Amino acid sequence: MLKVGDKLPEFEGINQDGKTITSSKLAGKKLVVFFYPQANTPTCTVEACNLSDNYAKLKKAGFQLLGVSGDTVKKQKNFHSKFAFPYDLIADENHHIIDQFGVWQEKKTFGKTYMGIVRTTFIFDEKGICTRVIEKVTSKTAAEQILEG
């Protein structure tokens, strides 16, 4: 998994509107990249809405946000439209970005072991250096976790 001190990986992804987002275009500002398992699921919705509800505070603190999951562009579009998120969601169906950040890992739920996206938030400074990794994201207070750093 990407760690504190690592550089923002070079990546390219498709957002909810079918537009290409590149990591190089995100440089120069503080960046929050949050990974979530699946669009429109209860916990992911709570997290994404918490970030949306606190977007003004995050923006005032200088952050830009980018959400990433392995969903299709259509699913991301539906999720984005349903909640009117003020930030982009990347559809990383091929797991290029997910693999670069190292968030595709073994998970256990109710005794079952499977591979999936581990809910993780990465924070980068203006120079594209990772300053924090939040591995234990609390969906209801995701924005506070980012701001308290």
Side-chain angles (χ1 to χ4, degrees), residues 47-66:
E47 178 185 10
C49 287
N50 175 267
L51 293 171
S52 183
D53 293 346
N54 289 284
Y55 186 71
K57 285 183 199 171
L58 291 162
K59 198 170 177 176
K60 188 176 179 186
F63 291 111
Q64 53 185 340
L65 273 73
L66 184 64

Side-chain angles (χ1 to χ4, degrees), residues 58-126:
L58 291 162
K59 198 170 177 176
K60 188 176 179 186
F63 291 111
Q64 53 185 340
L65 273 73
L66 184 64
V68 182
S69 76
D71 292 302
T72 63
V73 172
K74 185 177 179 184
K75 276 188 169 181
Q76 296 290 43
K77 176 72 174 168
N78 175 286
F79 190 39
H80 194 272
S81 298
K82 187 175 178 181
F83 296 100
F85 296 133
Y87 49 78
D88 284 322
L89 300 177
I90 298 285
D92 189 23
E93 290 181 80
N94 296 321
H95 291 204
H96 294 303
I97 303 167
I98 291 164
D99 289 342
Q100 283 181 294
F101 280 77
V103 295
W104 185 256
Q105 297 176 13
E106 191 175 273
K107 297 171 76 171
K108 285 183 183 178
T109 304
F110 304 114
K112 282 189 173 183
T113 301
Y114 61 97
M115 294 300 287
I117 294 173
V118 176
R119 185 181 318 281
T120 312
T121 299
F122 297 87
I123 302 171
F124 296 88
D125 66 14
E126 298 85 346

